[in-house]
Amino acid sequence: MAYGDVVSGCSVFFREWLPHWVNVQRRKSVAVEHVGRNRVLIHLPKKGLAVRKSLTAKTIEIVTRDGRDLVAEWREPPGRD
């Protein structure tokens, strides 16, 4: 998939590092946009904002409705130009 692709209806699981604690997020139906090398934007519709996450993070899962693992598809190996 190319940069700029948007997939709707994804289930995501990630951690947010906030001052003084870590917040674990699990969302069931969000849009995910591939914005750059190993980077995605997770659009949270109820909050009206987007969270930028790295695909190389220790804890991140993005699964589509049909069961595809977008982290595995969109992650690029290190050292590739």
Side-chain angles (χ1 to χ4, degrees):
M1 299 197 119
Y3 298 150
D5 288 347
V6 178
V7 180
S8 299
C10 295
S11 171
V12 298
F13 176 76
F14 62 93
R15 291 190 293 189
E16 277 185 311
W17 297 93
L18 303 171
H20 307 292
W21 73 82
V22 176
N23 194 13
V24 177
Q25 297 278 337
R26 179 172 297 277
R27 304 294 177 159
K28 295 209 176 190
S29 183
V30 297
V32 178
E33 180 180 357
H34 192 198
V35 293
R37 183 177 179 172
N38 293 329
R39 299 273 188 240
V40 293
L41 273 179
I42 301 169
H43 298 279
L44 306 174
K46 290 184 182 178
K47 289 187 176 181
L49 58 100
V51 177
R52 182 177 16 176
K53 297 303 289 180
S54 172
L55 294 175
T56 57
K58 288 183 182 178
T59 306
I60 186 168
E61 297 173 9
I62 304 172
V63 180
T64 62
R65 288 181 187 166
D66 60 355
R68 290 185 3 234
D69 182 12
L70 291 183
V71 174
E73 285 185 29
W74 289 349
R75 183 182 289 159
E76 296 181 25
R80 184 176 167 205
D81 292 330

